[in-house]
Amino acid sequence: SAVISQKPSRDICQRGTSLTIQCQVDSQVTMMFWYRQQPGQSLTLIATANQGSEATYESGFVIDKFPISRPNLTFSTLTVSNMSPEDSSIYLCSVGTTGSGKLFFGSGTQLSVL
Amino acid sequence: GIQVEQSPPDLILQEGANSTLRCNFSDSVNNLQWFHQNPWGQLINLFYIPSGTKQNGRLSATTVATERYSLLYISSSQTTDSGVYFCAVVILTGGGNKLTFGTGTQLKVEL
């Protein structure tokens, strides 16, 4: 399985600011996804990070709020913009390879917005 | 969209006990996975099991795709099994590679 490094592991931010989360994989992967896990809840897919093109967002998530970059097959960033306390969640990067079916997750970023 | 329900929502076991966790889904799927989220938040992939039965140590899983459910068995539970167990699926038609997660089962194993 791929080794996924996600940082920061946690952060406390002020309302109205932005935070960029990085996801680095030790091998090339075809699929990268970003998930959100609100306190005590299950995981919800934010978007699919597409290499070299705009991310594909799920219903309820927009690019202005959650801009995503994926410049190559091993790296992606998620920015949480203009944060409010409702954005306090764990954000997780997930990767997979075509044909394997299995997805693997980074260790997550615990975000608290004051 | 697809509904993925897990039961029970919460479970407390004595160390050494066995348990069965259930995952029901509302549509045909071509991908089903079980994950364990430990108390530190890390998600570990336990099984990729769109159909059939697999075993890995004290854990085993069975998916009956035609009846739209999957079961995760934990035998001789240990305190390190504590955490939240999620099943996640990809629907057969139009799902791409996007996993939809279930509601989760919170497991606590006590000494």
Side-chain angles (χ1 to χ4, degrees):
Chain A
S1 62
V3 176
I4 307 165
S5 300
Q6 191 174 332
K7 59 181 180 181
S9 58
R10 60 177 59 240
D11 207 341
I12 301 173
C13 301
Q14 295 297 317
R15 181 194 298 261
T17 63
S18 298
L19 176 72
T20 295
I21 302 167
Q22 297 182 1
C23 179
Q24 178 74 56
V25 191
D26 69 342
S27 59
Q28 293 186 343
V29 292
T30 50
M31 296 178 286
M32 293 184 80
F33 305 93
W34 287 97
Y35 283 84
R36 181 177 73 181
Q37 187 177 25
Q38 295 177 301
Q41 303 296 312
S42 185
L43 282 77
T44 301
L45 180 63
I46 298 172
T48 302
N50 300 309
Q51 191 262 327
S53 64
E54 191 172 289
T56 304
Y57 290 84
E58 296 302 304
S59 176
F61 297 96
V62 296
I63 188 171
D64 289 347
K65 177 66 175 177
F66 298 101
I68 289 170
S69 77
R70 189 178 175 193
N72 55 52
L73 293 177
T74 64
F75 184 77
S76 178
T77 66
L78 167 74
T79 299
V80 186
S81 302
N82 188 25
M83 288 183 287
S84 67
E86 292 70 35
D87 294 320
S88 298
S89 297
I90 300 174
Y91 293 86
L92 298 116
C93 167
S94 174
V95 305
T97 53
T98 302
S100 108
K102 297 183 75 169
L103 285 192
F104 300 94
F105 283 80
S107 54
T109 296
Q110 174 78 61
L111 171 62
S112 297
V113 183
L114 304 178
Chain B
I2 189 170
Q3 304 298 313
V4 186
E5 300 289 334
Q6 292 183 240
S7 60
D10 299 280
L11 184 60
I12 300 175
L13 298 175
Q14 293 295 312
E15 194 172 47
N18 303 327
S19 63
T20 301
L21 281 55
R22 187 177 179 102
C23 171
N24 292 330
F25 41 95
S26 61
D27 207 340
S28 298
V29 301
N30 61 5
N31 184 330
L32 188 145
Q33 302 181 39
W34 282 95
F35 295 88
H36 175 219
Q37 188 170 38
N38 66 26
W40 297 270
Q42 177 71 56
L43 271 164
I44 305 298
N45 192 308
L46 299 175
F47 292 103
Y48 167 71
I49 186 165
S51 64
T53 297
K54 290 186 178 180
Q55 180 155 7
N56 184 1
R58 296 182 296 103
L59 302 181
S60 64
T62 295
T63 297
V64 184
T66 53
E67 297 186 21
R68 301 182 182 175
Y69 73 89
S70 183
L71 303 173
L72 179 68
Y73 306 94
I74 305 174
S75 64
S76 304
S77 58
Q78 301 176 358
T79 56
T80 52
D81 294 330
S82 297
V84 184
Y85 290 81
F86 290 104
C87 68
V89 303
V90 177
I91 61 173
L92 185 60
T93 55
N97 294 297
K98 298 182 296 185
L99 277 177
T100 298
F101 277 74
T103 49
T105 292
Q106 174 87 56
L107 173 64
K108 183 177 181 181
V109 181
E110 299 177 334
L111 292 172

